[in-house]
C-alpha cells in the first residue's frame, strides 16, 4: 500500500524520450491615472502564448500473475494556448452616511484558445523490471525477448477549446468604527465554452462539439475587529469556481464534463503582533467543494458530482530573532472527506514549514529551511498511500549592486527519496533529488 523504495534506481520509462519542453511569451502592461487624491483608475492587459510538449513512457500497471513484469504506457502531448486578459478598475475613497468607504468596481474580459493533441505509444508489451532501463530512444526488448520500437504512432486525442469570460465585480471596504471594519464584494461571471473533439490527429473530422454557457455569481464578505492595537480578529466567507483545463476539457456527448468546480470557503482567525519583532497568525477554516469526476458504467463514459469537505487550522509565526536573523514557521492540520465519509485523496493530516534567513553582511545572506508533509491517500477512500516526508532546502543570496542580485537555491539538500503526489496507484510522483538553481535578477 505504499511506493516501493527499492525501485529508486530503476527507470520504468525511457532515459532519452521522457522529457518536456515549453516556450512561453508573456506581455503585460498597466496604466494608472489619478483623478484626485481619492479617485483613480487602473487598466491591466496581459497577453501570453504557450507552446508546450511533454512525452512520457510510464509504468501503467503490474502483471499480478508474474510479479517480475510490468506494463508500460506512453504518450506525447502537444498544447498551444493563447490568453488575453483585460481588466479595468475604478478605485475611490469617500464618506457616505457617516462611514468611510474604500470602493473598487471593475470589469474583466478573459479569452483563451487551446489546441491539444495526444499521440499514444505504439507498443503494448510487458517489460521485465530487472532491467534498469526498459527503453532507450524508443528502442528496447520486452519480457519475452521481442524487440520493440516506439514511435508514438497511435492516435489518442485532438481537441480545440475556446473559453471566454466577461466579469463585473465590486468590493467595498467599510470602516464601521475605529475598531470594526467590514468587506463586502460581489462578482458576476458570464462564461462561454466551446469544445471540439476531432476523430483524427490532423483535425479534419469533427467527432463531437459541446457549447456551454454559465452565469455564476460569487459573493465575498468579511469582518475585522481590532481588540487592541496589536491584535485583530477576523471572519470571512467567500464562494469561488474553477473551470476545467487541459485533459478535463475533452469533449463528450454531454456538456456535463465542462461543469465548473465550485467551492464555499469559511475562515475565522486572529492576527497578533506579539512584540515589535514577532507576529502570529492563526486560523480555523472549512471548504465545501463540488467537483466533477469521470467514470465508466456498462461501457458508457459518464460524469458525476463528487462533494467533499476540507476543514482544519493553521498557525504562522514570523519575525526576527535578531537584527540579522529572520525566521518564518508554519503549521497546518487538515481533515478531508467526501459525502460518503471516505477520506479525500492527497490531503495531508499535517504540514510543517520552517525557513531561516541570516544576514552575514550587507551584501551576503544565507537561508536554511525544512518542509514536512504527513501521509496522504493516493485515491479517495482507498488504502494505498504516500508516506510522510521531510525535505531540507538551502539558499545563498548576494547583492551585486542596488539594482542587481544573485541567488542560489539548493533543494533537497539531503537527497531524500519522497513522493509528493500521485496521478494514480501505479503512478506515484517522485520528488526531485538534490538540485540547484542559480538566478541573476536586475532592475533597470
Amino acid at each position: 500500500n505504499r511506493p516501493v523504495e527499492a525501485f529508486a534506481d530503476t527507470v520504468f520509462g525511457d532515459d532519452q524520450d521522457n522529457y518536456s519542453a515549453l516556450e512561453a511569451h508573456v506581455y503585460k502592461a498597466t496604466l494608472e491615472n489619478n483623478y484626485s487624491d481619492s479617485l483613480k483608475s487602473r487598466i491591466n492587459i496581459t497577453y501570453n502564448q504557450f507552446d508546450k510538449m511533454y512525452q512520457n513512457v510510464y509504468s501503467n500497471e503490474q502483471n499480478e500473475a508474474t510479479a517480475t513484469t510490468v506494463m508500460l504506457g506512453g504518450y506525447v502531448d502537444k498544447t498551444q494556448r493563447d490568453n488575453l486578459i483585460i481588466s479595468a478598475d475604478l478605485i475611490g475613497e469617500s464618506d457616505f452616511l457617516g462611514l468611510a468607504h474604500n470602493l473598487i468596481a471593475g470589469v474583466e474580459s478573459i479569452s483563451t484558445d487551446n489546441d491539444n493533441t495526444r499521440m499514444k505509444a505504439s507498443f503494448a508489451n510487458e517489460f521485465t523490471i530487472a532491467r534498469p532501463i526498459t527503453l532507450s530512444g524508443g528502442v528496447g526488448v520486452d519480457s519475452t525477448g521481442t524487440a520493440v520500437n516506439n514511435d508514438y504512432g497511435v492516435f489518442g486525442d485532438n481537441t480545440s477549446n475556446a473559453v471566454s469570460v466577461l466579469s463585473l465585480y465590486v468590493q467595498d471596504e467599510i470602516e464601521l468604527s475605529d475598531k470594526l471594519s467590514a468587506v463586502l464584494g460581489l462578482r458576476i461571471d458570464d462564461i462561454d465554452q466551446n469544445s471540439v473533439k476531432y476523430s483524427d490527429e490532423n483535425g479534419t473530422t469533427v467527432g463531437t462539439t459541446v457549447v456551454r454557457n454559465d452565469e455564476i455569481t460569487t459573493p465575498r464578505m468579511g469582518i475585522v475587529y481590532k481588540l487592541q492595537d496589536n491584535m485583530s480578529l477576523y471572519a470571512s466567507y467567500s464562494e469561488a469556481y474553477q473551470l476545467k483545463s487541459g485533459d478535463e476539457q475533452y469533449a463528450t456527448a454531454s456538456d456535463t464534463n465542462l461543469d465548473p468546480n465550485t467551492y464555499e470557503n469559511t475562515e475565522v482567525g486572529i492576527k497578533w503582533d506579539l512584540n515589535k519583532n514577532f507576529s502570529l497568525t492563526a486560523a480555523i477554516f472549512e471548504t465545501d467543494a463540488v467537483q466533477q469526476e469521470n467514470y465508466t458504467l456498462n461501457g458508457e463514459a459518464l460524469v458525476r458530482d463528487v462533494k467533499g469537505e476540507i476543514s482544519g487550522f493553521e498557525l504562522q509565526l514570523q519575525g526576527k530573532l535578531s537584527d540579522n536573523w529572520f525566521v518564518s514557521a508554519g503549521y497546518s492540520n487538515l481533515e478531508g472527506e467526501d459525502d460518503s465519509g471516505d477520506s479525500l485523496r492527497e490531503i495531508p493530516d499535517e504540514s510543517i514549514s520552517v525557513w531561516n534567513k541570516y544576514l552575514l553582511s550587507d551584501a551576503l545572506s544565507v537561508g536554511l529551511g525544512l518542509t514536512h508533509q504527513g501521509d496522504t491517500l493516493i485515491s479517495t477512500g482507498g488504502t494505498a498511500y504516500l508516506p510522510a516526508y521531510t525535505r531540507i532546502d538551502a539558499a545563498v543570496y548576494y547583492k551585486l549592486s542596488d539594482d542587481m542580485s544573485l541567488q542560489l537555491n539548493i533543494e533537497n539538500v539531503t537527497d531524500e527519496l519522497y513522493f509528493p503526489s500521485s496521478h494514480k496507484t501505479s503512478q506515484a510522483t517522485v520528488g526531485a533529488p538534490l538540485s540547484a538553481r542559480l538566478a541573476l535578477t536586475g532592475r533597470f
Side-chain angles (χ1 to χ4, degrees), residues 9-175:
D9 297 322
T10 300
V11 177
F12 295 95
D14 193 308
D15 63 339
Q16 295 183 27
D17 280 353
N18 280 29
Y19 70 96
S20 63
L22 171 66
E23 181 178 337
H25 302 271
V26 179
Y27 308 91
K28 295 183 179 181
T30 299
L31 176 64
E32 289 191 1
N33 187 41
N34 293 320
Y35 303 101
S36 66
D37 292 338
S38 59
L39 182 64
K40 69 178 181 179
S41 63
R42 179 175 57 215
I43 299 176
N44 291 310
I45 302 174
T46 300
Y47 176 71
N48 49 52
Q49 295 176 314
F50 299 104
D51 190 351
K52 180 180 181 181
M53 186 281 292
Y54 62 97
Q55 62 186 41
N56 186 25
V57 174
Y58 58 92
S59 58
N60 199 21
E61 62 185 33
Q62 184 179 348
N63 188 323
E64 299 294 339
T66 57
T68 58
T69 60
V70 65
M71 294 293 294
L72 295 185
Y75 57 85
V76 54
D77 193 292
K78 297 180 180 180
T79 300
Q80 290 81 41
R81 179 174 295 173
D82 291 355
N83 297 325
L84 176 62
I85 304 172
I86 302 174
S87 63
D89 297 333
L90 191 63
I91 305 166
E93 298 177 0
S94 67
D95 291 329
F96 181 68
L97 297 178
L99 301 175
H101 296 258
N102 191 341
L103 187 67
I104 300 176
V107 59
E108 184 175 53
S109 173
I110 302 172
S111 178
T112 296
D113 290 307
N114 182 86
D115 294 310
N116 191 94
T117 303
R118 171 169 292 190
M119 299 296 291
K120 297 181 181 179
S122 54
F123 61 79
N125 298 59
E126 292 181 348
F127 294 80
T128 60
I129 62 176
R131 290 176 57 84
I133 297 174
T134 56
L135 288 172
S136 184
V139 178
V141 179
D142 68 8
S143 60
T144 66
T146 302
V148 296
N149 191 323
N150 174 33
D151 60 2
Y152 298 102
V154 179
F155 173 66
D157 291 287
N158 186 359
T159 60
S160 178
N161 304 284
V163 180
S164 62
V165 183
L166 181 62
S167 307
L168 301 174
Y169 51 88
V170 61
Q171 177 180 289
D172 190 10
E173 183 177 345
I174 310 169
E175 187 176 328

Side-chain angles (χ1 to χ4, degrees), residues 223-251:
I223 191 167
V224 179
Y225 182 73
K226 184 178 290 188
L227 288 172
Q228 51 194 44
D229 290 341
N230 65 333
M231 184 185 298
S232 297
L233 298 176
Y234 71 91
S236 67
Y237 172 83
S238 65
E239 296 179 8
Y241 71 92
Q242 181 184 47
L243 295 179
K244 301 295 194 299
S245 63
D247 296 352
E248 298 170 313
Q249 286 184 329
Y250 288 156

